[in-house]
Amino acid sequence: MSDSEKERLRLVELDYDRTSDFIKSVVATAGAIRGLAITIWLGLVGFALQQDLWELGALASVVAVLFLFLDGYHGWLYEEAMKHARAAEAVTSRYYNALSRGDDDPDALVDFRVQLRIHRFGLWSSLRHFAVRDLLIARPPLLYRVLYPSLLGLGVLVTVLVGAGVIGK
């Protein structure tokens, strides 16, 4: 391996470490967002029932939608960062394969060099702008397909039932 390849490999490892740190922070932030979303939503629904105000039930529905997008953005960031981490990991994996196979498999070194050359450095440079359709790839999908739609549906149900006088004070 040339000095240039060694330096590039070192940079790939650094890129992987930074991406891993970013993933950890996104996971922590997303967990805080989910806790906040459920707390605010539950508080609004509780007050809607206690105070017999359908408007608070409607606000709970709006809060569910807002947090769906906020949390979905972080889920998308997580997925994009994971793609970048997997690409960096592919480079180091090919390197380890080339080391372990040595002269027995000259193609292993070629595979490593190809992966090293095509790797795009920097997570931020590989990110594109977030769009609503990106919620479809946000992770974990169960939250965006079950939790937030359930909060929205229950908020609408509380709004209708409180507004009709079926439940409440």
Side-chain angles (χ1 to χ4, degrees):
M1 235 174 56
S2 70
D3 287 342
S4 172
E5 288 172 332
K6 287 178 184 175
E7 180 62 16
R8 286 181 59 106
L9 180 62
R10 187 189 70 76
L11 292 173
V12 168
E13 291 169 343
L14 181 62
D15 190 27
Y16 181 81
D17 289 342
R18 288 183 176 173
T19 302
S20 295
D21 290 343
F22 178 79
I23 290 169
K24 289 175 193 172
S25 67
V26 166
V27 168
T29 302
I33 288 170
R34 289 176 197 132
L36 191 60
I38 291 172
T39 301
I40 292 172
W41 180 87
L42 194 55
L44 288 169
V45 167
F47 280 131
L49 294 171
Q50 181 185 28
Q51 301 299 319
D52 201 23
L53 294 171
W54 66 267
E55 295 90 349
L56 290 176
L59 184 58
S61 299
V62 171
V63 163
V65 172
L66 292 175
F67 275 102
L68 165 68
F69 286 106
L70 181 61
D71 191 14
Y73 172 71
H74 285 82
W76 169 78
L77 280 175
Y78 172 81
E79 180 59 25
E80 292 296 307
M82 285 298 293
K83 286 179 193 174
H84 189 76
R86 281 188 218 102
E89 198 170 69
V91 175
T92 56
S93 175
R94 297 281 167 85
Y95 174 66
Y96 298 144
N97 283 341
L99 281 180
S100 67
R101 293 179 184 166
D103 294 333
D104 295 340
D105 186 2
D107 290 338
L109 185 58
V110 171
D111 289 345
F112 160 67
R113 286 183 169 144
V114 168
Q115 280 299 126
L116 186 60
R117 285 188 185 113
I118 65 172
H119 181 71
R120 288 187 62 184
F121 289 94
L123 173 62
W124 295 114
S125 65
S126 65
L127 285 181
R128 54 187 169 67
H129 290 285
F130 177 76
V132 174
R133 70 181 180 284
D134 291 325
L135 289 173
L136 297 173
I137 64 167
R139 297 286 175 238
L142 188 63
L143 288 171
Y144 314 112
R145 295 183 186 149
V146 176
L147 175 66
Y148 290 107
S150 297
L151 294 179
L152 173 62
L154 288 171
V156 169
L157 181 64
V158 166
T159 301
V160 170
L161 294 177
V162 169
V166 176
I167 59 175
K169 269 186 170 177

